[in-house]
Amino acid sequence: MSKTMQDSTIQMRQFLSARQRAREALITTALWVLYGYLWLPLISVIAWYLGVDFAYETVVKAGGPDELILLLLWFSIVCLVSLLVVVSWSGFQYSMFKGKGERRTRETFLDPEAEREFWQIDAALQEQLKGGKVMKVSLDDEAKISGVEITS
């Protein structure tokens, strides 16, 4: 696999250039930011409603600012416990997979000679197959590759 693949349909990370990987990461980040941005109006309305209702109930009805401070203390404790759980779980997962690379299995590639033997083709035909982007492959009666016509 001497040349990098330029087709955007089939992409293997090891065949992508640094520029293509950076473009992918930038587009993915931009789309996640856009997705979060689209949720902001609904989140803002709910937070505003809950905040106004919470402050009114606590300060006016339930006993004044002392009650509000107590509830904010409990709220901060719940947030800290949640943060501790998430950080602990992330640390556990990191330690489980540290140094193991990606969890996905990687494809093993044949060396050129084994590939020619598998497909039962010669070196010139193999280079044609690797060099073309769009091609028409001819098969003989035994379903072996007999020729390649590059159409691009």
Side-chain angles (χ1 to χ4, degrees), residues 41-57:
L42 180 64
I43 292 170
S44 296
V45 166
I46 292 171
W48 175 79
Y49 175 74
L50 291 176
V52 170
D53 188 42
F54 173 75
Y56 176 76
E57 295 274 334

Side-chain angles (χ1 to χ4, degrees), residues 19 37 43 55 59 63 71 76 82 84 89 93-94 104-105 107 109 117 144 149-150:
R19 182 182 224 171
Y37 179 75
I43 292 170
V59 174
L71 283 175
S76 62
S82 299
L84 181 66
W89 181 253
Q93 291 298 316
Y94 178 76
R104 314 176 252 209
T105 58
E107 291 289 323
F109 295 104
E117 184 180 322
K144 294 180 184 172
E149 178 185 334
I150 298 177

Side-chain angles (χ1 to χ4, degrees), residues 3-7 128-136 148-152:
K3 294 183 181 178
T4 60
M5 295 176 63
Q6 299 297 324
D7 184 14
Q128 276 187 316
L129 287 169
K130 287 185 177 185
K133 290 184 181 179
V134 179
M135 60 191 99
K136 183 178 180 181
V148 176
E149 178 185 334
I150 298 177
T151 58
S152 59

Side-chain angles (χ1 to χ4, degrees), residues 2-26:
S2 60
K3 294 183 181 178
T4 60
M5 295 176 63
Q6 299 297 324
D7 184 14
S8 62
T9 306
I10 301 172
Q11 294 181 355
M12 294 182 173
R13 300 288 297 169
Q14 61 267 32
F15 289 133
L16 295 177
S17 66
R19 182 182 224 171
Q20 289 171 321
R21 285 191 298 268
R23 184 187 65 210
E24 265 185 22
L26 181 67

Side-chain angles (χ1 to χ4, degrees), residues 55-85:
Y56 176 76
E57 295 274 334
T58 305
V59 174
V60 176
K61 287 186 177 178
D66 293 335
E67 192 70 27
L68 177 64
I69 291 172
L70 182 64
L71 283 175
L72 288 175
L73 176 67
W74 279 108
F75 178 72
S76 62
I77 290 171
V78 168
C79 287
L80 285 174
V81 167
S82 299
L83 180 68
L84 181 66
V85 167

